[in-house]
Amino acid sequence: MNEHLDFRWMHGQHIADVSETSSVFWQFRLSSSGSITTESLWRLIRDGRIAVTGEDHGQQFGLPAPVDAASRILSILAGATIQRVEIRDGTSDLIIHFDPPFRLEVLSSSSGYESWQIYEPDGGCVVAQGGGQLCYAPPVGESRITVGIPIR
């Protein structure tokens, strides 16, 4: 595995906070360090079904109040810890596996725009570029940017 795609630092953490900063921009802050941001569709899978998505946010669906997707995902994932992080070859979809068994899926949705970013504790950043390509930006002070990281 490429050294920049080693997400073991995320193992054992949980989602501490979720916020929507615009109608398409979401941030998932991890418990100890790091974060994930996305401008594309995210969804939480529970028992093999979609439990909530970013697109549900603010929708009424015949309920007494509109869906608060941030509160819903935090409620469902309360106590769940990250066990594994996977990136789908070809599309760069991001799948985060939790225990108990839930999956947070961030789907790359553009051939031209960035879909998601993972900000590492040391300041490095993995970016899902348009078309399913990955790019790694190192922490400040390092100069090597890697584009087109192969997924293994």
Side-chain angles (χ1 to χ4, degrees):
M1 174 178 279
N2 185 291
E3 65 182 291
H4 304 303
L5 293 182
D6 183 355
F7 297 116
R8 287 179 290 191
W9 61 269
M10 294 173 72
H11 296 180
Q13 291 198 57
H14 65 274
I15 303 291
D17 188 49
V18 178
S19 58
E20 178 199 33
T21 58
S22 75
S23 62
V24 295
F25 187 82
W26 288 85
Q27 181 176 45
F28 298 82
R29 191 175 54 79
L30 302 179
S31 55
S32 297
S33 57
S35 66
I36 302 158
T37 60
T38 183
E39 298 86 35
S40 62
L41 175 67
W42 63 264
R43 62 187 182 191
L44 182 66
I45 306 297
R46 174 178 58 186
D47 299 325
R49 298 187 178 275
I50 298 170
V52 65
T53 78
E55 292 186 359
D56 293 340
H57 189 70
Q59 300 297 322
Q60 191 86 27
F61 297 133
L63 300 169
V67 172
D68 181 339
S71 293
R72 187 174 286 182
I73 193 171
L74 286 171
S75 173
I76 293 169
L77 288 178
T81 57
I82 297 172
Q83 298 299 305
R84 183 167 55 97
V85 177
E86 164 187 0
I87 298 176
R88 249 185 223 127
D89 191 20
T91 62
S92 293
D93 293 344
L94 174 66
I95 303 113
I96 301 173
H97 299 265
F98 291 85
D99 182 33
F102 301 111
R103 284 190 326 267
L104 175 60
E105 299 179 346
V106 181
L107 306 178
S108 295
S109 58
S110 175
S111 63
Y113 290 113
E114 295 176 357
S115 294
W116 55 260
Q117 303 82 35
I118 293 177
Y119 295 94
E120 299 174 337
D122 66 2
C125 179
V126 178
V127 178
Q129 296 179 309
Q133 180 169 277
L134 295 177
C135 175
Y136 179 76
V140 173
E142 293 183 27
S143 61
R144 193 180 85 237
I145 293 179
T146 308
V147 177
I149 299 170
I151 300 170
R152 302 175 207 270

